[in-house]
Amino acid sequence: MLKGLVIAASGTQMLKEELKKNHFPWTDLKGREKEDFQEAMLSLHASPDELLCLVETDREEKIALSLGLFCVGYLNPDIDGQRLSGCRILLEGFQEIDVPFLCNVHTRALGLPVQIAETKRLLIREMTLADLDDINALYRENEFTGFMHPSSLDRHEEEEKIKAYIAYMYGLYQFGMWVVIEKESGKLIGRVGFGIADYLEFSEIDMGYLIGERYRRRGYAEEASRAALDYAEHTLYLPQVSAYIDRENLVSLHLIEKLGFHRKKEFMYQGKGLCRYVLRLPCA
């Protein structure tokens, strides 16, 4: 659990106001020496792995990492030559940074999956390495998997690919394809979430979903999709989401229209007929 933020960066007034509003513990460094970092940690009454440290120079990052702190980097335009290669995420500003965002960064730094949503019957969370076998089994049993085919990589390569996905997709975009867990059984029964589609001459955020054969015709796909769209609207603040559906997948076409998406285009891609759907979210 994240218990505080150590601030070793400038231009953070907006962030501090957000932290004050939510009564979240934070402290400014009095200086930039190792002793200052240690004093800040003591003032927050937390261990290093219970804190995040906001830094803007490589020197500060090095000190913070040596003390066991997880770092978040600020790309200050007034500082040249920043690398901040050990930071969990790099920020260009603080306009949309809030406490839940910082908690998610910290959760991922601990190697734990962020829970995205909970419905009456389902849990939706980020995937972990432990999910690899269940995910591969899910894809193998389904006829309509879009363009997410079972992997031809060996085990080590698959694990490295998932590690990179967790670090860069979840970490950079704050979204991705998540796993769907049936609460009653605790089993992984599907996936839902968002990716970056580039089937046409432009890229856009698109939604995908897949429920295992044994768990269909129970409304799980709709339940998971509505929870994902709610997250897109109220947490990610996305103005629009698209969906690309195989025109032969009548069940999926019915669901996407039931969710409120509107068909915009039909086209061929790698020998398959795809339909592009778009949903404008109320936050736009």
Side-chain angles (χ1 to χ4, degrees):
M1 178 180 177
L2 181 62
K3 293 186 177 179
L5 177 67
V6 176
I7 298 178
S10 55
T12 59
Q13 187 57 39
M14 181 180 294
L15 174 62
K16 292 174 183 175
E17 290 174 0
E18 173 68 20
L19 299 177
K20 287 179 182 177
K21 183 176 69 176
N22 289 278
H23 307 289
F24 186 80
W26 60 273
T27 184
D28 260 324
L29 287 189
K30 296 178 180 178
R32 293 293 191 266
E33 302 302 321
K34 187 172 184 178
E35 294 77 14
D36 299 304
F37 282 81
Q38 292 172 323
E39 182 179 342
M41 292 163 58
L42 287 173
S43 72
L44 290 170
H45 307 289
S47 61
D49 63 356
E50 294 174 322
L51 299 171
L52 285 178
C53 184
L54 176 64
V55 299
E56 62 182 359
T57 72
D58 296 324
R59 179 178 178 274
E60 293 157 0
E61 178 193 63
K62 183 177 181 180
I63 294 173
L65 292 175
S66 73
L67 293 171
L69 290 163
F70 299 127
C71 290
V72 175
Y74 170 43
L75 295 174
N76 190 330
D78 297 324
I79 299 177
D80 295 326
Q82 291 172 289
R83 290 181 295 174
L84 303 176
S85 57
C87 289
R88 299 291 168 168
I89 193 169
L90 299 178
L91 308 176
E92 295 183 348
F94 304 105
Q95 292 86 348
E96 297 181 359
I97 307 305
D98 55 18
V99 173
F101 174 90
L102 294 173
C103 288
N104 286 351
V105 172
H106 181 256
T107 297
R108 296 186 188 108
L110 291 172
L112 301 173
V114 171
Q115 181 170 308
I116 302 302
E118 180 176 359
T119 69
K120 182 177 180 180
R121 300 180 296 170
L122 306 172
L123 287 175
I124 300 172
R125 62 164 172 79
E126 295 177 348
M127 67 176 171
T128 69
L129 284 178
D131 298 320
L132 179 56
D133 290 335
D134 288 335
I135 291 171
N136 282 340
L138 179 70
Y139 289 154
R140 282 194 298 268
E141 74 175 18
N142 284 274
E143 178 183 359
F144 292 109
T145 58
F147 296 93
M148 301 180 291
H149 299 296
S151 176
S152 60
L153 303 175
D154 65 30
R155 183 72 181 196
H156 176 73
E157 291 174 322
E158 283 187 321
E159 290 181 354
E160 291 303 309
K161 186 176 180 179
I162 286 185
K163 287 179 183 178
Y165 189 92
I166 292 170
Y168 297 108
M169 193 67 186
Y170 294 157
L172 179 61
Y173 294 105
Q174 303 301 304
F175 63 77
M177 289 301 297
W178 306 306
V179 295
V180 179
I181 308 296
E182 184 185 50
K183 290 164 66 173
E184 183 178 3
S185 66
K187 294 184 179 298
L188 190 157
I189 66 166
R191 299 193 77 187
V192 70
F194 306 98
I196 308 297
D198 57 1
Y199 301 126
L200 298 171
E201 63 274 9
F202 54 85
S203 297
E204 61 182 341
I205 297 174
D206 77 319
M207 187 174 78
Y209 44 79
L210 178 63
I211 298 295
E213 288 184 355
R214 289 177 294 171
Y215 300 95
R216 292 178 183 171
R217 293 177 291 280
R218 303 184 195 180
Y220 283 156
E222 181 180 354
E223 190 172 328
S225 295
R226 291 194 184 280
L229 289 171
D230 184 74
Y231 189 85
E233 178 185 350
H234 296 106
T235 301
L236 300 175
Y237 305 111
L238 298 180
Q240 176 177 296
V241 174
S242 67
Y244 290 82
I245 311 295
D246 188 320
R247 67 184 180 191
E248 296 181 8
N249 190 344
L250 301 181
V251 173
S252 190
L253 290 173
H254 174 73
L255 173 58
I256 207 70
E257 292 178 0
K258 187 176 181 181
L259 292 171
F261 284 74
H262 299 281
R263 186 182 296 204
K264 296 294 185 180
K265 184 181 181 69
E266 187 172 330
F267 62 99
M268 296 300 296
Y269 182 83
Q270 295 183 356
K272 286 191 174 184
L274 289 185
C275 300
R276 175 181 178 254
Y277 282 82
V278 172
L279 175 66
R280 294 286 295 174
L281 296 174
C283 65

